């Protein structure tokens, strides 16, 4: 977009200045948090602060420049908000590494963040028009299913902590399900654009809800079978809930029919109930959810409530204002750097800090849904809606699990938890949102002359 | 490091965190609460004001009138529900026209204006003289041509 174009189109509202200021603000907060951890731990600013802070700042500046070049109309808030949660995650992992330096590794996470930014930039550079994804609807569907099945293959798949969701590639293990969810959202969006009229219109009215025809239940049943399959074969409650929820939500966005939500809920609850009766690992989660403070369950290993209770104790001792960064005991919570990073954050930042973090997530989702509303074609509406929903749903599942609102399912807190695959996948997800918000906010091409059969457009 | 300093750092950090959230809300204030003043809205929302000059402020269309073709004179009152046009029996406006597809086009309200969308018809939908390739806003009195039928929105 050259300067001439900007002059010809009078109402420019890229708000890039605001974006840069907010980005700098986010990086500054992360650096302050970093310093605060050091002061809390041993009374001095950590030596690596400038290195980490400037590293994060340089990464985000690079991401900003790519965004300004390749998606100039994109939403000004997405990148700063994501930067903040990602940076806070880095700080928390660094903090946990200081007191329990076994598995947590902040430098590793910084490396993955850098890789995430590279993926973000690549997605923006390669994918100039997100509607190209619509042509790959079924390819995306097969890729998604393939990625889901990958961990089940012998030799390739690995079982860690009871869940078979990892694939070993060289020295790394990656979680293909994280990428599968992206491919499947693209597939759902493309598929529903093509079929939504049938799913929305056909059917009859019963009492107060519009019921769809029995034969139109096919897609929702197939997705249900798949998510139950993931639950049973890979023992991955989180992904199962994530995928099915995403499909039902997108079905609702596409058809505006409440009955789909009710059908989806009924299917999932019945599936979860039956799974709870049949499989011990699912039943263990239910028991823990219903009565986590039971001493028998607390002592039980594996599948006890010790981890959940430690998380709750942590958040409890944090209280309203928290113990302060570097002054809590996150090392007492097992896996506090990944699944339970939210509880660890809650201990040190308190309810006030947690609410701020949740607000940041809410704002990211709001920007995504706003993009869906502003989008001009149905595919982008569905894709933006689905992508933002999946982010919100993921936060809900893990935060709900950690706070014992719903049964705990192992799922990463987006951008905060330590884990390369999730970070990469979520940065690609944000790149998709940025790409779509760029398309949605870009002013429509202006006709240079008023009338005539041949119209000349300025792009 | 004294307890008091740490306490102050802790409170200051939380305040800064919330200040960030509030600043972020400030950036997007206009589309959260709607724009009270028109001037900032024109700066911030490029897409919509661009269309405003073409749409006279006569209020929203209330009726869909068939002005040409076999169904000439038919009037459909517009509500909030989308209108489907085509040869299928469940369409709102059922056309018996060989040039129309069974689910030909759809008209739906969005943000106070009506949008026409072609549903992949064989012979296309025309707004004025241009073919509808993507959902396009329809203004009062603009003819939409589907096969032999011409419809327009009226107050």
């Amino acid at each position: 977009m050259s300067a001439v174009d900007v002059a010809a189109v009078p109402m420019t509202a890229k708000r890039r200045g605001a974006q840069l200021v907010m980005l700098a603000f986010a990086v500054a907060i992360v650096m302050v948090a970093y310093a605060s951890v050091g002061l809390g731990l041993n009374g001095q600013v950590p030596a690596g602060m400038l290195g980490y802070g400037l590293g994060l700042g340089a990464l985000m500046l690079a991401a900003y420049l790519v965004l300004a070049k390749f998606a100039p109309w994109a939403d000004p808030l997405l990148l700063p908000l994501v930067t903040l949660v990602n940076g806070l995650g880095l700080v928390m992992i660094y903090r946990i590494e200081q007191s329990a330096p076994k598995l947590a590794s902040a430098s590793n996470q910084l490396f993955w963040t850098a890789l995430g930014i590279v993926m973000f930039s690549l997605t923006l550079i390669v994918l100039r028009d997100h509607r190209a994804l619509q042509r790959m609807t079924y390819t995306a569907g097969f890729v998604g299913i393939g990625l889901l099945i990958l961990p089940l293959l012998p030799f390739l798949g690995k079982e860690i902590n009871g869940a078979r969701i990892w694939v070993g590639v060289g020295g790394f293990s990656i979680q293909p399900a994280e990428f599968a969810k992206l491919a499947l959202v693209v597939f759902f969006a493309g598929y529903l654009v093509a079929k939504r009229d049938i799913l929305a219109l056909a059917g009859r009215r019963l009492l107060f809800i519009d019921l769809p025809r029995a034969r139109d239940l096919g897609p929702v049943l197939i997705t249900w079978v798949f998510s139950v399959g993931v639950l049973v074969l890979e023992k991955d409650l989180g992904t199962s809930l994530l995928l099915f929820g995403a499909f039902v939500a997108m079905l609702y966005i596409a058809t505006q029919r409440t009955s789909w939500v009710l059908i989806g809920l009924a299917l999932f609850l019945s599936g979860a109930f039956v799974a709870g009766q049949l499989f011990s690992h699912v039943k263990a989660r239910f028991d823990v959810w219903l009565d986590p403070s039971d001493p028998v369950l607390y002592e039980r290993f594996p599948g006890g409530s010790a981890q959940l209770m430690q998380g709750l104790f942590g958040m409890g001792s944090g209280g309203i204002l928290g113990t302060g960064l570097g002054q809590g005991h996150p090392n007492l919570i097992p896996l506090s750097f990944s699944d339970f990073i939210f509880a660890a954050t809650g201990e040190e930042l308190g309810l006030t800090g947690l609410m701020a973090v949740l607000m940041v997530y809410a704002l990211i989702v709001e920007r995504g849904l706003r993009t869906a509303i502003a989008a001009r074609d149905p595919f982008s509406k569905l894709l933006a809606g689905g992508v933002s929903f999946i982010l919100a749903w993921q936060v809900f599942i893990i935060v709900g699990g950690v706070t014992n609102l719903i049964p705990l399912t192992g799922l990463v807190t987006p951008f905060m938890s330590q884990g390369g695959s999730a970070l990469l996948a979520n940065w690609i997800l944000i790149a998709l949102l940025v790409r779509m918000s760029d398309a949605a906010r870009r002013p429509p091409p202006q006709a240079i002359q008023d009338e005539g059969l041949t119209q000349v457009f300025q792009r | 490091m004294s307890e008091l300093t740490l306490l102050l750092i802790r409170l200051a950090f939380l305040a800064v965190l919330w200040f960030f959230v509030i600043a972020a809300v400030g950036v997007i204030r206009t589309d959260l609460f709607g724009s009270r003043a028109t001037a900032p809205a024109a700066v911030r929302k490029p897409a919509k004001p661009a269309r405003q000059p073409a749409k006279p402020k006569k209020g929203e269309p209330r009726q869909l009138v068939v002005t040409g073709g076999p169904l000439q004179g038919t009037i459909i009152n517009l509500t909030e529900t989308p209108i489907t046009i085509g040869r299928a029996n469940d369409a709102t406006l059922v056309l018996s026209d060989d040039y129309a597809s069974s689910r030909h086009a759809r008209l739906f309200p969005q943000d106070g204006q009506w949008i026409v969308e072609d549903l992949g018809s064989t012979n296309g939908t025309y707004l004025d003289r241009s073919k509808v390739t993507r959902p396009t806003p329809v203004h009062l009195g603009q003819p939409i041509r589907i096969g032999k039928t011409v419809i327009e929105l009226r107050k």
Side-chain angles (χ1 to χ4, degrees):
Chain A
M1 186 74 41
S2 68
V4 183
D5 275 345
V6 175
V9 183
M11 53 294 162
T12 46
K14 296 179 184 170
R15 311 215 67 196
R16 292 232 296 272
Q19 183 173 16
L20 199 54
V21 169
M22 290 302 284
L23 201 58
F25 195 2
V27 173
I29 290 184
V30 172
M31 285 177 80
V32 170
Y34 206 78
S36 170
V37 166
L39 291 174
L41 276 175
N42 46 21
Q44 50 191 344
V45 175
M49 180 182 121
L50 273 181
Y52 276 106
L54 291 182
L56 186 73
L59 283 175
M60 294 309 158
L61 189 67
Y64 168 78
L65 290 177
V66 170
L67 188 147
K69 175 85 175 75
F70 291 98
W73 294 95
D75 194 283
L77 272 187
L78 280 171
L79 192 60
L81 293 171
V82 171
T83 303
L84 183 72
V85 272
N86 197 334
L88 281 182
L90 275 170
V91 169
M92 280 316 291
I93 290 169
Y94 167 78
R95 188 259 168 279
I96 294 159
E97 188 186 11
Q98 295 303 305
S99 48
K102 269 181 296 183
L103 290 163
S105 165
S107 50
N108 227 341
Q109 180 78 349
L110 191 64
F111 166 73
W112 282 109
T113 307
L115 222 53
I117 302 273
V118 170
M119 292 307 285
F120 171 85
S121 312
L122 275 182
T123 313
L124 278 185
I125 293 169
V126 173
L127 189 72
R128 293 301 178 83
D129 185 356
H130 57 277
R131 278 168 298 182
L133 294 174
Q134 193 172 6
R135 290 198 286 273
M136 300 194 291
T137 298
Y138 287 92
T139 319
F142 282 119
V143 168
I145 292 171
L147 286 172
L148 271 187
I149 294 175
L150 216 52
L152 293 176
L153 300 179
F155 306 117
L156 209 54
K158 282 200 287 188
E159 185 164 329
I160 303 178
N161 294 336
R164 196 177 172 90
I165 50 174
W166 275 271
V167 169
V169 182
F172 293 107
S173 11
I174 59 169
Q175 284 185 30
E178 291 291 338
F179 299 98
K181 83 186 177 196
L182 277 177
L184 287 175
V185 169
V186 171
F187 167 66
F188 292 158
Y191 172 81
L192 288 171
V193 166
K195 308 284 182 205
R196 66 172 173 164
D197 281 331
I198 295 172
L199 295 171
L201 297 174
R204 63 203 152 84
R205 208 169 168 78
L206 187 77
L207 292 178
F208 54 93
I209 51 170
D210 286 312
L211 282 183
R213 295 181 300 188
R215 57 179 155 160
D216 295 332
L217 288 174
V220 76
L221 282 177
I222 291 170
T223 331
W224 178 74
V225 166
F226 256 97
S227 68
V228 172
V230 169
L231 179 69
V232 172
L233 297 174
E234 304 184 1
K235 304 183 181 174
D236 186 3
L237 293 159
T239 308
S240 162
L241 192 57
L242 189 68
L243 288 181
F244 191 66
F247 183 70
V248 171
M250 288 177 75
L251 202 54
Y252 177 66
I253 298 174
T255 62
Q256 306 179 2
R257 262 193 176 182
T258 329
S259 57
W260 285 118
V261 178
L262 299 178
I263 291 170
L265 272 178
L267 277 174
F268 192 82
L269 289 180
S270 55
F273 180 76
V274 172
Q277 300 294 312
L278 291 181
F279 303 102
S280 58
H281 68 279
V282 183
K283 189 169 185 306
R285 298 287 174 99
F286 273 108
D287 293 342
V288 164
W289 174 53
L290 289 173
D291 190 9
S293 53
D294 184 354
V296 179
L297 288 179
Y298 188 90
E299 296 296 335
R300 188 170 72 181
F301 188 86
S305 65
Q307 185 187 23
L308 180 64
M309 283 311 286
Q310 287 299 339
L312 292 175
F313 288 149
M315 283 188 281
S317 73
I320 298 285
L321 291 175
T323 56
L325 282 168
Q327 295 165 74
H329 302 278
N331 47 318
L332 295 178
I333 310 170
L335 290 182
S336 56
F337 54 89
S338 68
D339 285 9
F340 272 69
I341 196 158
F342 196 77
T345 314
E347 180 180 8
E348 306 222 318
L349 293 182
L351 184 67
T352 321
L354 280 192
M355 284 300 149
V357 173
L358 284 182
M359 277 300 288
V360 172
Y361 280 121
L363 282 170
I364 297 175
V365 172
E366 194 270 342
R367 295 326 291 160
L369 293 177
R370 172 61 61 174
T371 301
I373 290 175
R376 289 174 198 147
D377 58 313
F379 177 73
S380 347
K381 271 189 195 303
L382 272 172
L383 189 56
V387 160
S388 355
F389 176 81
I390 216 168
L391 202 64
W393 187 227
Q394 211 172 331
V395 174
F396 171 76
I397 291 175
I398 185 63
V399 172
V402 167
T403 50
N404 207 32
L405 179 71
I406 58 173
L408 179 65
T409 56
L411 208 57
V412 298
T413 319
F415 297 107
M416 283 183 85
S417 297
Q418 176 169 332
S421 323
L423 208 52
L424 289 191
N426 284 325
W427 271 107
I428 297 175
L429 186 151
I430 290 297
L432 284 181
L433 269 187
V434 163
R435 172 51 73 217
M436 283 184 284
S437 76
D438 175 55
R441 289 163 51 94
R442 188 186 292 269
Q446 304 282 308
I448 293 176
Q449 87 263 33
D450 280 343
E451 284 296 326
L453 284 172
T454 312
Q455 291 201 333
V456 182
F457 283 104
Q458 187 173 41
R459 286 196 184 272
Chain B
M1 193 63 45
S2 73
E3 285 291 311
L4 183 67
T5 330
L6 285 175
L7 179 75
L8 287 179
I9 290 176
R10 190 168 102 198
L11 295 182
F13 181 72
L14 289 176
V16 169
L17 208 54
W18 272 101
F19 185 66
F20 179 84
V21 171
I22 291 165
V25 172
V27 171
I28 55 167
R29 191 180 61 239
T30 42
D31 49 68
L32 275 180
F33 301 112
S35 52
R36 281 189 204 114
T38 40
V43 176
R44 265 165 215 181
K45 285 257 188 123
K48 278 168 196 164
R51 287 180 194 138
Q52 261 175 5
K55 187 187 161 198
K57 288 203 168 182
K58 281 184 242 159
E60 292 170 14
R62 300 224 183 87
Q63 288 177 331
L64 183 151
V65 181
V66 182
T67 55
L71 290 173
Q72 189 166 13
T74 311
I75 292 175
I76 294 175
N77 287 325
L78 299 175
T79 54
E80 280 297 293
T81 48
I83 287 177
T84 49
I85 302 164
R87 290 196 316 199
N89 285 327
D90 57 354
T92 324
L93 183 66
V94 183
L95 305 175
S96 51
D97 183 343
D98 289 341
Y99 294 102
S101 303
S102 52
R103 284 192 178 77
H104 196 109
R106 175 197 354 231
L107 271 159
F108 57 94
Q110 192 183 48
D111 302 333
Q113 54 183 348
W114 284 79
I115 317 274
V116 63
E117 181 189 6
D118 188 81
L119 298 175
S121 65
T122 315
N123 292 317
T125 306
Y126 291 82
L127 181 63
D128 273 342
R129 272 168 294 180
S130 50
K131 192 168 180 179
V132 176
T133 49
R134 54 159 76 185
T136 316
V138 184
H139 307 302
L140 284 172
Q142 245 183 338
I144 303 169
R145 194 165 65 75
I146 293 167
K148 293 175 196 160
T149 310
V150 182
I151 57 176
E152 63 183 59
L153 299 180
R154 292 204 183 143
K155 246 183 96 175

